[in-house]
């Protein structure tokens, strides 16, 4: 072991443009191609209610994202959500946030990898189901290729995100423009669908809550910039600007795409379709179905890559704070927490083996809004607890309280109106984290054994501990930190 003069830390190389691209990448995934069916279903096939919920989801997401942005601007370091929860509500709550992410994120990655592999392999098996073995092998190959890309550093990831985002935006732009043209030049019954938009049955409160959850799934991922705040240039300025720009454009695209779907397909036809975008293209230009497959594939792969990138930073921060093994906070020569990326891909690869992952995702999916409610509580607590803490961007209190109210509505309404067994399963899953928190975090058992493993893996992966473990302090629009002590590096 020797001392290197060169600093090993996450680098601030992501500006406004690429920050906006990251938001586009993770928000516009497979959701807009599949969730319109779910929103329409829980809207009781009421076209007006369905479009209103899409617009309301955009407003709710914007308010939540702007409230959430205060976390990343006050503590501009990677994994800011985790660090914020630990500082405001204590290590116990922070660990449960981490515990849920340790399993829900790899499960979501595995499910989307299988979905992507299915889209790619389906043309080779026309008229029949794709065999599970080649689909799973391709999903594994995609996962580990993304792992290699992430290990190459931030610049390679941002360029990949830019290209894949351009592809899916082109496809969605084509769907939007074509639908509007068909609507303007269309038949009378197509226009009547919008003229009598609110004539169908009106859904009850529990159905509206379910419809919101479906729509908000398509907007999910807006917190990614807070997770990677340690690699953003001028985070106090760029996080709010990127959020407003990206979510405004996404909301506009989503509304136009939904109008385009309804201009071509009836609500019942949308309900009977497994892939709305494919059915839409089959009705409009059947020879261009490959374009929809390309759009869906690029949407899924860019969202996958962004998830791997941002979650590895969260695990890196938790490792620095002592709630995950130290090896996960080490960086390679490209400033990537490669050990965290590898662990995530191992978990996701194991979860690819079973075929039904959608059920697992349903169990843990609604916990996102539980976590967001906790963050808003922590935000209010920290304002009273540390009123003099520098906050370059401060969320308005109506936004914060509105986000908390929406969180309570989305979590409690389905439980009260239509309780399901999976609600109990989620609670049991969260409480099972105690079995790990008490011995390994609270009492720090087995630390000597873990140190030996850390030394071996550090040599194997050629990684070094980071220099940026000191707390970041935000002052005005800039980022400062205490000068780090000289770290011990691997030769």
């Amino acid at each position: 072991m020797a001392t290197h003069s060169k600093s090993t830390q996450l680098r601030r190389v992501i500006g406004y443009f690429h920050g906006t691209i990251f938001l586009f990448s993770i928000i516009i995934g497979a959701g807009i191609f599949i969730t319109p069916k779910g929103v329409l279903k829980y809207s009781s096939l009421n076209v007006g209610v369905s479009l209103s919920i899409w617009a309301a989801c955009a407003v709710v997401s914007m308010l939540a994202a702007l409230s959430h942005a205060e976390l990343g601007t006050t503590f501009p370091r990677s994994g800011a959500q985790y660090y914020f929860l630990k500082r405001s509500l204590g290590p116990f709550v922070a660990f449960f946030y981490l515990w849920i992410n340790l399993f829900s994120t790899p499960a979501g990655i595995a499910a989307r990898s299988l979905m992507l592999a299915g889209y790619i392999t389906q043309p080779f098996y026309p008229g029949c189901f794709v065999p599970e073995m080649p689909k799973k092998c391709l999903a594994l190959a995609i996962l580990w290729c993304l792992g290699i890309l992430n290990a190459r550093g931030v610049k390679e990831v941002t360029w990949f995100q830019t290209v894949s985002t351009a592809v899916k935006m082109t496809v969605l732009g084509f769907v939007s423009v074509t639908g509007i043209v068909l609507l303007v030049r269309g038949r009378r019954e197509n226009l009547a669908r919008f003229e009598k938009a609110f004539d169908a049955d009106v859904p009850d409160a529990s159905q509206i809550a379910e419809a919101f959850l479906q729509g908000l799934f398509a907007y999910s991922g807006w917190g990614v910039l807070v997770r990677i705040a340690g690699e953003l240039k001028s985070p106090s300025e760029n996080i709010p600007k990127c959020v407003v720009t990206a979510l405004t454009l996404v909301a506009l695209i989503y509304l136009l795409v939904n109008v385009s779907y309804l201009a071509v397909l009836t609500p019942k036809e949308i309900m009977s379709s497994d892939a709305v975008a494919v059915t839409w293209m089959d009705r409009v230009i059947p020879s261009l179905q490959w374009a929809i497959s390309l759009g869906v594939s690029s949407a899924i792969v860019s969202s996958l890559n962004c998830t791997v990138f941002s979650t590895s930073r969260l695990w890196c921060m938790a490792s620095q704070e002592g709630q995950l093994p130290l090896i996960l906070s080490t960086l390679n020569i490209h400033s990537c927490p490669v050990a965290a990326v590898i662990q995530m891909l191992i978990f996701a690869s194991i979860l690819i083996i079973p075929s039904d992952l959608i059920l697992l995702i349903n169990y843990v999916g609604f916990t996102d809004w539980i976590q967001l409610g906790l963050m808003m509580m922590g935000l209010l607590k920290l304002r009273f607890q540390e009123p003099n803490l520098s906050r370059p961007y401060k969320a308005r209190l109506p936004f914060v309280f509105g986000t908390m109210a929406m969180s309570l509505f989305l979590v409690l309404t389905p439980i009260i109106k239509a309780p399901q067994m999976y609600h109990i399963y989620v609670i049991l899953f969260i409480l099972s984290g105690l079995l790990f928190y008490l011995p390994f975090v609270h009492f720090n058992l087995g630390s000597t054994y873990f140190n030996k493993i850390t030394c071996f893996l550090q040599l194997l992966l050629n990684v070094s501990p980071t220099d940026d473990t000191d707390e970041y302090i935000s002052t005005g629009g800039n980022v400062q930190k205490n000068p780090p002590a000289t770290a011990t590096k691997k030769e």
Side-chain angles (χ1 to χ4, degrees):
M1 306 292 282
T3 301
H4 287 199
S5 59
K6 185 179 179 180
S7 174
T8 303
Q9 59 184 12
L10 298 173
R11 301 170 186 169
R12 294 189 179 275
V13 295
I14 302 174
Y16 167 73
F17 174 75
H18 284 115
T20 306
I21 290 294
F22 265 94
L23 277 171
F24 275 129
S25 299
I26 198 165
I27 293 174
I28 305 179
I32 187 57
F33 297 100
I34 5 183
T35 54
K37 175 179 176 179
V39 175
L40 201 55
K41 173 185 174 182
Y42 290 109
S43 301
S44 300
L45 302 187
N46 190 313
V47 172
V49 171
S50 172
L51 293 176
S52 299
I53 285 175
W54 277 103
C57 285
V59 174
V60 169
S61 298
M62 181 73 79
L63 295 180
L66 288 174
S67 302
H68 194 251
E70 184 175 325
L71 279 61
T73 56
T74 305
F75 304 109
R77 56 193 299 171
S78 294
Q81 293 104 323
Y82 165 83
Y83 179 81
F84 170 81
L85 281 175
K86 187 177 180 185
R87 181 157 173 171
S88 60
L89 299 178
F92 189 65
V93 175
F95 178 80
F96 281 122
Y97 170 76
L98 180 65
W99 175 254
I100 292 169
N101 275 277
L102 278 172
F103 295 95
S104 62
T105 300
I109 290 173
R112 282 179 287 167
S113 299
L114 285 169
M115 189 187 301
L116 175 58
Y119 267 100
I120 294 174
T121 53
Q122 185 61 60
F124 298 98
Y125 298 90
C128 59
F129 290 106
V130 178
E132 288 297 318
M133 185 57 69
K135 185 165 72 172
K136 290 180 179 179
C137 289
L138 180 58
L140 288 170
I142 292 169
L143 270 186
W144 288 96
C145 285
L146 291 178
I148 293 170
L149 175 66
N150 272 268
R152 296 293 302 167
V154 180
K155 289 188 177 179
E156 282 75 6
V157 171
T158 53
W159 277 111
F160 179 82
Q161 295 299 95
T162 303
V163 173
S164 58
T165 300
V167 172
K168 65 183 175 185
M169 293 298 286
T170 301
V171 173
L172 287 173
F174 172 77
V175 173
S176 302
V177 173
T178 305
I180 299 302
V181 171
L182 291 174
L183 188 62
V184 172
R185 302 174 57 185
R187 293 175 295 182
R188 180 65 189 170
E189 56 267 26
N190 291 11
L191 294 172
R193 222 171 281 155
F194 296 95
E195 291 172 356
K196 300 177 180 179
F198 291 93
D199 284 357
D201 295 335
V202 177
D204 60 27
S206 63
Q207 288 178 308
I208 290 175
E210 294 288 352
F212 262 103
L213 287 173
Q214 292 285 326
L216 289 169
F217 171 76
Y219 285 97
S220 61
W222 41 255
V224 65
L225 294 186
V226 176
R227 281 194 178 184
I228 62 172
E231 289 162 278
L232 284 175
K233 299 175 183 176
S234 304
S236 60
E237 177 184 347
N238 282 329
I239 291 178
K241 282 174 58 179
C242 291
V243 164
V244 172
T245 303
L247 279 174
T248 301
L249 293 175
V250 168
L252 180 62
I253 291 167
Y254 279 7
L255 282 171
L256 289 176
V257 168
N258 275 280
V259 169
S260 180
Y261 289 157
L262 289 164
V264 175
L265 305 170
T266 66
K268 289 184 178 179
E269 286 173 334
I270 291 176
M271 288 302 302
S272 62
S273 170
D274 290 329
V276 181
V278 174
T279 306
W280 181 92
M281 185 60 82
D282 187 51
R283 185 70 59 85
V284 178
I285 312 177
S287 60
L288 287 181
Q289 277 205 8
W290 60 268
I292 291 295
S293 296
L294 180 64
V296 174
S297 299
S298 61
I300 296 173
V301 75
S302 63
S303 180
L304 268 175
N305 190 50
C306 199
T307 302
V308 171
F309 180 85
S310 61
T311 305
S312 65
R313 272 59 184 175
L314 173 67
W315 293 7
C316 177
M317 167 56 63
S319 172
Q320 290 178 4
E321 294 293 315
Q323 291 198 347
L324 282 179
L326 180 62
I327 187 64
L328 299 183
S329 63
T330 55
L331 305 179
N332 66 3
I333 58 172
H334 301 291
S335 296
C336 169
V338 67
V341 171
I342 291 173
Q343 177 176 309
M344 190 188 322
L345 296 182
I346 290 173
F347 282 7
S349 300
I350 292 171
L351 290 169
I352 280 177
I353 297 172
S355 16
D356 186 13
L357 289 170
I358 303 302
L359 190 60
L360 176 61
I361 295 169
N362 286 339
Y363 287 165
V364 297
F366 86 106
T367 56
D368 287 345
W369 281 90
I370 297 177
Q371 294 170 357
L372 186 59
L374 288 173
M375 287 177 194
M376 294 302 101
M377 290 171 58
L379 190 149
L380 292 174
K381 181 185 175 186
L382 207 61
R383 283 199 183 179
F384 288 104
Q385 187 176 305
E386 300 185 45
N388 297 323
L389 184 67
S390 177
R391 294 175 173 87
Y393 165 80
K394 200 170 182 179
R396 296 178 181 272
L397 284 179
F399 290 6
V400 177
F401 285 115
T403 303
M404 288 180 65
M406 196 65 193
S407 173
L408 289 171
F409 173 72
L410 292 175
V411 171
L412 296 180
T413 303
I415 295 175
I416 295 170
K417 291 281 187 179
Q420 302 288 335
M421 280 301 296
Y422 77 82
H423 297 134
I424 297 174
Y425 294 154
V426 169
I427 293 171
L428 292 176
F429 167 74
I430 294 174
L431 292 178
S432 67
L434 277 171
L435 300 176
F436 291 85
Y437 176 79
L438 291 175
F440 297 113
V441 178
H442 187 71
F443 295 110
N444 197 27
L445 298 179
S447 57
T448 304
Y449 179 69
F450 287 137
N451 287 340
K452 292 180 180 179
I453 296 177
T454 299
C455 291
F456 171 75
L457 291 176
Q458 185 178 344
L459 292 167
L460 178 66
L461 300 174
N462 193 26
V463 291
S464 301
T466 60
D467 289 337
D468 57 345
T469 54
D470 293 305
E471 180 181 342
Y472 282 94
I473 303 170
S474 55
T475 56
N478 303 317
V479 177
Q480 297 178 348
K481 69 170 184 173
N482 298 327
T486 304
T488 302
K489 304 289 183 200
K490 187 184 71 61
E491 185 65 50

